[in-house]
Amino acid sequence: MARLLRHVTITVAVYIGGGEESSKEKLNCVKVNGSKSFTAAKMGLLRQDHAMPMPCIGGVDEDVLEEHLRQNIPRRKQMVDPYRHGEMVEEGVGYRQTVVIRSYEVGADKTATIESLLNLLQETALNHVWMSGLLSDGFGATHGMMRNNLIWVVSRMQVQVDHFPIWGEVMEIDTWVGASGKNGMRRDWLLRSQVTGTVFIRATSTWVMMNKETRRLSKMPDEVRAEIAPWFIEKHAIEEESPEKIEKLDANARYVHSNLKPKRSDLDMNHHVNNVKYLRWMLETIPDEFLEKHQLSDMVLEYRKECGSSDVVQSLCEPQFNENIGLNGHTASSQILQGNGLLGAINQRPLSYTHLLQTKGESKNEEIVRARTTWREKKHGAKPFHS
């Protein structure tokens, strides 16, 4: 089958402003094999905010042209994206996207899985960069990052879950960025119910730059700082506290899964294992009988090393009983004051797990991720959120 672009003919006519000529959409049509398939106005091909190379220009690689035609990455800031149901907020530097929880994003209890929610966080973050006009051809990398052969890697992430969305629920996801030290960037998210306005999930993350070839961390070049600094907001989804140290587990951990191997489908565009896969490996180490009766309320992940397709991974897990913490993070004394008694305070305290993912080597093991997950008992028959 001949390539698409060999059969694309474009008649170019751009009309800006009102008047009779602005209605001449037929002049902006794109014909494929002689048949009208879509309009250039709808595809954004001829808009001034897209620096699209035109197929009629000779000497340009057809594969590149076809990729641009299919992707259509904006080269200038966009305020509204009707295709992704997204818009700029926070005076044009934050991003909000409306999503519907799909059937394939929920588990047996009809609530969204934590893996699906992490995927939504990643997607909205990338769409934010997409709308900014800063996105180059990399996985969220800016033009300056591409020129310096840099990619983003996450170093720390925290997610607090008050309620899990249910199948079919409409959610609004806000995301924004801020500074994190001299060479890092913070990205935060808020997920709320569109119907009630209730915040379901808060998340924050820290990102640093890595050289794509050497796989070593890099300082932030001045040109990259100049690109992203105007987008920084001094607002936090989760109030910053002194992070509690996550202890490193050893071979004496209670639960251990060994010989875990990444699949081809586990790799992202930067050719390392996706963060969601790390979480799945960790959660699968927790006993099923516990997961059936509990749901995640908080997790902290500290990333130490990337994992490649040839690595063999071991997942370690150790339960930790939090003596002084009760249901939903309240102290045991508050449980007593609320009339639940000492027994209620003891029975209702959540259980947390300490996790470690590491690569298994011949001479030594190397840490991939340390993590801590905190859980609460499921409320059978309870509504997914409070009115």
Side-chain angles (χ1 to χ4, degrees):
M1 183 178 180
R3 283 201 173 277
L4 170 68
L5 290 175
R6 292 177 180 170
H7 300 279
V8 175
T9 59
I10 297 182
T11 305
V12 181
V14 181
Y15 295 92
I16 300 175
E20 187 176 302
E21 292 183 348
S22 64
S23 62
K24 296 181 179 180
E25 291 185 7
K26 63 181 180 179
L27 296 179
N28 292 336
C29 69
V30 176
K31 294 184 178 182
V32 179
N33 292 334
S35 301
K36 181 176 178 180
S37 58
F38 50 81
T39 66
K42 288 183 179 180
M43 289 296 292
L45 290 174
L46 304 180
R47 290 170 53 183
Q48 288 188 325
D49 49 15
H50 290 71
M52 289 293 299
M54 300 307 295
C56 58
I57 299 176
V60 181
D61 185 86
E62 287 188 359
D63 289 330
V64 174
L65 289 175
E66 181 175 347
E67 184 175 332
H68 277 286
L69 183 65
R70 294 169 61 188
Q71 258 187 324
N72 199 23
I73 298 176
R75 300 308 183 194
R76 295 185 184 180
K77 179 179 176 181
Q78 310 291 295
M79 293 303 295
V80 177
D81 187 346
Y83 300 106
R84 295 170 181 79
H85 302 285
E87 61 179 333
M88 288 298 191
V89 294
E90 299 282 356
E91 298 183 352
V93 293
Y95 178 70
R96 175 175 297 159
Q97 184 169 340
T98 303
V99 301
V100 179
I101 302 302
R102 312 293 184 180
S103 60
Y104 52 80
E105 295 173 326
V106 303
D109 59 357
K110 295 184 180 180
T111 65
T113 64
I114 189 63
E115 293 94 336
S116 294
L117 295 173
L118 287 186
N119 280 326
L120 287 175
L121 298 186
Q122 176 177 283
E123 182 66 13
T124 51
L126 289 171
N127 289 343
H128 184 200
V129 184
W130 182 288
M131 292 276 286
S132 72
L134 297 177
L135 183 65
S136 188
D137 294 330
F139 193 35
T142 67
H143 303 292
M145 291 175 64
M146 292 294 289
R147 284 191 289 270
N148 287 273
N149 208 25
L150 299 174
I151 60 175
W152 286 114
V153 290
V154 60
S155 62
R156 187 179 187 274
M157 188 169 195
Q158 181 177 6
V159 181
Q160 294 179 347
V161 184
D162 290 333
H163 311 286
F164 281 86
I166 59 175
W167 174 36
E169 188 160 16
V170 180
M171 303 293 297
E172 289 182 346
I173 306 177
D174 285 8
T175 185
W176 63 93
V177 293
S180 178
K182 293 183 179 180
N183 294 300
M185 184 182 75
R186 190 193 74 253
R187 177 173 286 280
D188 288 10
W189 296 266
L190 285 178
L191 283 74
R192 70 173 66 87
S193 168
Q194 189 187 60
V195 175
T196 67
T198 303
V199 175
F200 282 19
I201 298 165
R202 303 173 186 272
T204 186
S205 59
T206 305
W207 297 76
V208 292
M209 294 182 184
M210 173 188 285
N211 186 285
K212 190 175 182 180
E213 297 300 326
T214 66
R215 314 308 280 187
R216 294 181 181 228
L217 296 183
S218 171
K219 292 183 178 180
M220 184 182 294
D222 290 339
E223 69 168 314
V224 176
R225 184 176 287 105
E227 284 180 315
I228 65 177
W231 295 84
F232 288 171
I233 300 176
E234 285 300 321
K235 184 173 87 168
H236 300 267
I238 299 176
E239 290 301 322
E240 289 186 330
E241 300 176 356
S242 298
E244 182 181 347
K245 182 180 180 181
I246 301 177
E247 299 294 334
K248 181 181 179 180
L249 300 180
D250 56 29
N252 296 319
R254 183 174 300 187
Y255 305 110
V256 178
H257 282 189
S258 298
N259 297 319
L260 302 171
K261 297 180 181 180
K263 298 177 181 178
R264 190 185 301 253
S265 59
D266 297 328
L267 302 181
D268 61 22
M269 285 187 275
N270 286 330
H271 302 287
H272 56 216
V273 174
N274 187 278
N275 300 329
V276 175
K277 185 63 178 184
Y278 294 155
L279 179 63
R280 188 172 296 120
W281 277 335
M282 289 188 292
L283 297 186
E284 287 175 350
T285 314
I286 299 175
D288 288 341
E289 55 269 23
F290 177 85
L291 295 176
E292 290 174 359
K293 298 179 181 179
H294 297 79
Q295 61 182 187
L296 187 69
S297 63
D298 187 282
M299 67 176 182
V300 178
L301 301 99
E302 297 178 352
Y303 299 89
R304 305 301 177 94
K305 176 185 177 294
E306 64 177 340
C307 177
S309 58
S310 61
D311 289 324
V312 178
V313 179
Q314 185 179 56
S315 177
L316 297 87
C317 177
E318 181 72 26
Q320 305 289 332
F321 291 89
N322 297 326
E323 297 285 340
N324 297 319
I325 301 180
L327 189 61
N328 293 327
H330 300 297
T331 63
S333 58
S334 69
Q335 293 288 328
I336 297 172
L337 290 175
Q338 291 173 13
N340 295 325
L342 179 59
L343 182 61
I346 294 174
N347 289 337
Q348 290 184 353
R349 68 176 184 266
L351 185 66
S352 67
Y353 283 87
T354 302
H355 305 265
L356 174 66
L357 290 182
Q358 61 183 7
T359 58
K360 295 290 290 181
E362 294 182 2
S363 58
K364 66 174 183 177
N365 301 330
E366 293 187 274
E367 292 183 71
I368 303 172
V369 187
R370 289 189 196 184
R372 181 175 56 253
T373 57
T374 304
W375 304 77
R376 59 172 171 262
E377 289 187 8
K378 289 182 179 179
K379 294 182 179 181
H380 298 287
K383 295 180 180 180
F385 54 82
H386 301 291
S387 302

